[in-house]
Amino acid sequence: MAGFRNKGLVATRRAALTLIGAGALAAGRITSARAAAADDEVLTEAKVLRDPDVPVAGNPDGNISIIEWSDYNCPYCRKLEPELRQVVQDDGKVRLVMKDWPILGPVSVTAARIALAAKFQDKYHQAHDAMMGVSSRLTEPRINELLAAADVDMDRLKRDLTDRANDIDAVLKRNNEQAEAFGFSGTPSFIVGKYRVPGVLSMTEFEQVIADARKAKMN
């Protein structure tokens, strides 16, 4: 992944940019991560790829990771969601890391905090799917309706929102710092293997980037 500074990964930012540049020919929308010394502590493998507090979908042992930064009130995220999940399912060897990045207002922050609170009762994915599955802009009452219908324990959720507030806010802070360090300007944004993908791709484009990421990993 561009920007990782851990031993055994890309040794220099120049090497990462060369690799990203090669992938740009195939995907058409891929650009390089920003080169900034301050990013080094933010963009480590452990924090970006292996944060234990960030939910994962797809194959947890997959040989390629897609990291997605999304907002529950982002219409592009909602539109892309079923196609991305289909690509991940069809491939079978993709690990999907789901970074909540609420940048579209206070309700987006509320939705992200609620989704992460649901993780403490193993219902993150149910909460995520329920909120991504609507076509209208979310409100807090609507969020509560959706999660209750998704079999989330709302009493437990309220307790975890309070008791785990610091943990939840820390995850959102890390997600935001990483997105800013990569130079993302909106949702959805992705890292696919060692490629930075700011914006929406089609299923075919995602499949191509995944293939390119696997080839890059072999080199």
Side-chain angles (χ1 to χ4, degrees):
M1 176 181 296
F4 282 171
R5 310 295 281 186
N6 286 15
K7 184 177 180 181
L9 294 170
V10 178
T12 67
R13 202 171 291 274
R14 175 174 294 178
L17 296 178
T18 300
L19 181 58
I20 290 168
L25 297 177
R29 302 187 188 183
I30 302 176
T31 57
S32 63
R34 291 186 305 177
D39 295 350
D40 292 350
E41 283 300 310
V42 174
L43 302 182
T44 66
E45 181 181 19
K47 291 179 180 178
V48 177
L49 192 62
R50 304 287 175 184
D51 189 331
D53 297 322
V54 171
V56 172
N59 184 344
D61 300 315
N63 57 19
I64 285 293
S65 292
I66 295 177
I67 308 174
E68 177 186 17
W69 283 262
S70 64
D71 185 305
Y72 290 107
N73 262 325
C74 168
Y76 302 105
C77 299
R78 293 174 182 166
K79 181 178 179 180
L80 180 68
E81 180 80 3
E83 294 188 356
L84 175 60
R85 292 303 186 96
Q86 191 64 53
V87 169
V88 170
Q89 179 179 324
D90 290 348
D91 184 282
K93 295 181 180 179
V94 172
R95 180 175 179 267
L96 178 61
V97 183
M98 305 168 73
K99 303 265 188 182
D100 290 292
W101 188 29
I103 58 175
L104 298 177
V107 175
S108 292
V109 175
T110 297
R113 296 188 76 255
I114 285 175
L116 290 171
K119 182 176 181 286
F120 295 109
Q121 55 178 286
D122 296 322
K123 293 290 181 67
Y124 174 87
H125 294 289
Q126 289 90 328
H128 175 91
D129 293 348
M131 290 188 286
M132 279 294 183
V134 298
S135 58
S136 58
R137 191 167 181 83
L138 292 171
T139 63
E140 189 166 351
R142 181 63 172 144
I143 291 171
N144 291 332
E145 291 175 3
L146 291 167
L147 267 62
D151 200 29
V152 174
D153 183 334
M154 300 305 289
D155 291 333
R156 166 74 187 274
L157 185 75
K158 291 176 183 178
R159 291 197 301 272
D160 286 332
L161 277 169
T162 299
D163 297 343
R164 306 279 192 152
N166 290 339
D167 296 330
I168 292 168
D169 291 341
V171 172
L172 294 177
K173 182 175 183 291
R174 292 196 297 273
N175 291 352
N176 180 69
E177 289 174 344
Q178 292 160 15
E180 290 184 346
F182 276 118
F184 294 139
S185 59
T187 55
S189 292
F190 302 90
I191 298 293
V192 181
K194 294 181 180 180
Y195 297 105
R196 173 182 175 273
V197 186
V200 177
L201 298 183
S202 67
M203 288 181 67
T204 300
E205 288 172 326
F206 261 119
E207 289 167 355
Q208 182 63 64
V209 178
I210 290 168
D212 288 347
R214 285 201 172 103
K215 290 179 183 178
K217 189 176 181 181
M218 300 281 292
N219 295 332

